[in-house]
């Protein structure tokens, strides 16, 4: 075999490899690369502050569980090219309604009261967006203020203690074997959310509606119903997160969940979901939430005060928006 014949296949393979590298969408994997880089950075910087201790690593999962639950619902909304700014206030309202119902009527009515908050708020948001055509940004921004005001009004701004040990064990403060209950709840939401989005007809319709609503309409998808459903899912997920707050902190307060809408949106966008709709990744959302929790935990161990932490969180939001791109 001649020398030229030996080199030619190598050149072809090199060209093919170069083509693959050019076509590979590296942005889709940025969250995983960033997570590893940040983890290694804090592991080296904070090795003497106990960053790598099992208790601290488990705390990161605990602290991000509620954001993860909210962000799973938010993934559906953003993948559908909508937005939900009311999730944090819905969590707070759910926590106080759950606490008040628990004290008056018991365990099951308390849980149903918390879920009812999500069902009612999600139905209102969904109806206003899908039936009246009001932009979801405006609807959910208004609902944010309404939910906070109602929660503060019915409690007179006072915390509502939860003395039901069964509820507290199931929703946040207990363990399922060696695994914290909060971690189990977030794992359940991530698993169900990923399967439904990636493996079901509903998930495909959500992505199609977000990618091109007109094309989705022509293919027979009821895009109004899809928009209604994703906003309902988001609100119900937020109401469950509110109950997790209530169980972990053993009280309901209108402040629980304040600002979580920003963290959830950042987690979703950092996880690879397109801000313009048409693509969503639940697993990416999980890593986005964990990355935010990792950074928060590292900043606390590094001794930064709350104002400095806010600056870093704001930078994360900007980074998340900068990484958003249309598929």
């Amino acid at each position: 075999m001649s020398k030229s014949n030996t080199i030619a296949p190598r050149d072809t393979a090199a060209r093919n490899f170069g083509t693959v590298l050019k076509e590979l969408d590296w942005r889709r994997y940025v969250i995983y690369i960033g997570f590893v880089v940040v983890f290694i950075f804090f592991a080296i910087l904070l090795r003497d502050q106990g960053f790598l201790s099992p208790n601290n690593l488990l705390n990161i999962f605990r602290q991000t569980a509620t954001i993860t639950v909210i962000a799973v619902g938010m993934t559906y909304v953003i993948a559908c090219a909508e937005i939900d700014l009311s999730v944090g206030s819905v969590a707070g309202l759910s926590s106080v309604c759950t606490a008040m119902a628990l004290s008056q009527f018991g365990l099951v009515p308390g849980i149903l009261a918390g879920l009812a908050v999500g069902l009612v708020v999600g139905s209102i948001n969904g109806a206003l967006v899908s039936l009246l055509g009001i932009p979801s940004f405006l609807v959910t921004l208004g609902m944010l203020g309404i939910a906070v005001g109602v929660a503060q009004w019915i409690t007179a701004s006072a915390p509502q203690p939860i003395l039901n040990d069964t509820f507290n064990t199931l929703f946040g403060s207990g363990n399922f074997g060696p695994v914290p209950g909060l971690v189990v709840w977030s794992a359940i939401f991530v698993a169900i959310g990923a399967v439904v989005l990636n493996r079901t007809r509903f998930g495909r319709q959500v992505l199609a509606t977000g990618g091109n609503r007109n094309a989705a309409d022509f293919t027979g998808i009821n895009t109004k119903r899809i928009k209604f459903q994703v906003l309902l899912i988001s609100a119900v997920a937020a109401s469950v997160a509110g109950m997790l707050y209530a169980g972990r902190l053993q009280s309901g307060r209108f402040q629980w969940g304040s600002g979580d809408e920003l963290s959830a949106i950042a987690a979703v966008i950092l996880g690879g979901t397109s801000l313009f709709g048409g693509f969503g990744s639940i697993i990416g959302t999980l890593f986005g939430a964990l990355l935010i929790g990792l950074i928060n935990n590292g900043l606390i161990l590094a001794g930064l005060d709350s104002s400095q932490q806010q600056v870093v969180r704001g930078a994360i939001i900007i980074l998340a928006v900068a990484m958003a791109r249309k598929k």
Side-chain angles (χ1 to χ4, degrees), residues 197-211:
L197 187 63
N198 298 322
R199 303 292 183 183
T200 67
R201 180 184 178 188
F202 172 71
R204 292 190 293 271
Q205 290 179 341
V206 169
L207 299 179
T209 300

Side-chain angles (χ1 to χ4, degrees), residues 141-178:
L141 181 62
M143 186 58 71
L144 183 156
I146 292 172
V148 170
V150 170
Q152 193 170 3
W153 178 25
I154 63 177
T155 61
S157 302
Q160 304 298 306
I162 296 178
L163 305 178
N164 191 304
D165 292 335
T166 303
F167 177 86
N168 291 333
T169 300
L170 290 175
F171 289 88
S173 61
N175 296 332
F176 294 93

Side-chain angles (χ1 to χ4, degrees), residues 58-284:
L58 201 56
N59 279 336
I60 294 175
F61 282 95
R62 286 196 189 99
Q63 292 161 1
T64 58
T66 50
I67 294 297
T68 300
V69 170
I70 293 174
V72 168
M74 186 69 75
T75 301
Y76 282 83
V77 175
I78 294 179
C80 194
E82 300 294 341
I83 199 75
D84 188 352
L85 300 178
S86 65
V87 288
S89 59
V90 170
L93 179 58
S94 173
S95 75
V96 300
C97 288
T98 298
M100 295 173 73
L102 278 169
S103 64
Q104 293 293 324
F105 307 108
L107 178 63
V108 175
I111 294 173
L112 293 177
L115 291 175
V117 170
L119 290 172
V120 171
V121 172
S123 296
I124 294 173
N125 286 344
L128 292 175
V129 172
S130 63
L131 299 180
L132 299 185
I134 305 174
S136 57
F137 177 88
L138 297 177
V139 170
T140 58
L141 181 62
M143 186 58 71
L144 183 156
I146 292 172
V148 170
V150 170
Q152 193 170 3
W153 178 25
I154 63 177
T155 61
S157 302
Q160 304 298 306
I162 296 178
L163 305 178
N164 191 304
D165 292 335
T166 303
F167 177 86
N168 291 333
T169 300
L170 290 175
F171 289 88
S173 61
N175 296 332
F176 294 93
V179 183
L182 287 171
V183 176
V184 173
W185 277 102
S186 63
I188 290 172
F189 268 77
V190 168
I192 295 175
V195 170
V196 171
L197 187 63
N198 298 322
R199 303 292 183 183
T200 67
R201 180 184 178 188
F202 172 71
R204 292 190 293 271
Q205 290 179 341
V206 169
L207 299 179
T209 300
N212 190 321
R213 182 182 176 183
N214 291 331
D217 283 327
F218 279 120
T219 61
I221 297 174
N222 188 337
T223 55
K224 289 184 178 180
R225 184 182 65 189
I226 294 297
K227 289 189 175 187
F228 178 90
Q229 289 173 332
V230 297
L231 287 166
L232 181 62
I233 289 171
S234 178
V236 171
S239 69
V240 174
M243 288 191 285
L244 294 177
Y245 271 121
R248 178 166 65 92
L249 301 171
Q250 300 184 12
S251 66
R253 299 191 70 169
F254 73 91
Q255 295 100 328
W256 298 159
S258 177
D260 281 0
E261 60 277 354
L262 298 181
S263 297
I265 292 170
V268 172
I269 303 304
L270 283 171
T273 297
S274 173
L275 187 60
F276 305 99
F279 179 82
S281 172
I282 297 293
I283 301 301

Side-chain angles (χ1 to χ4, degrees), residues 294-312:
L294 192 69
I295 292 173
N296 288 340
N297 182 268
L299 294 177
I300 292 172
L301 291 179
L304 273 68
D305 60 34
S306 60
S307 61
Q308 293 169 320
Q309 294 174 37
Q310 289 285 358
V311 171
V312 175

Side-chain angles (χ1 to χ4, degrees), residues 1-9:
M1 183 179 291
S2 65
K3 183 176 180 181
S4 60
N5 290 337
T6 303
I7 296 175

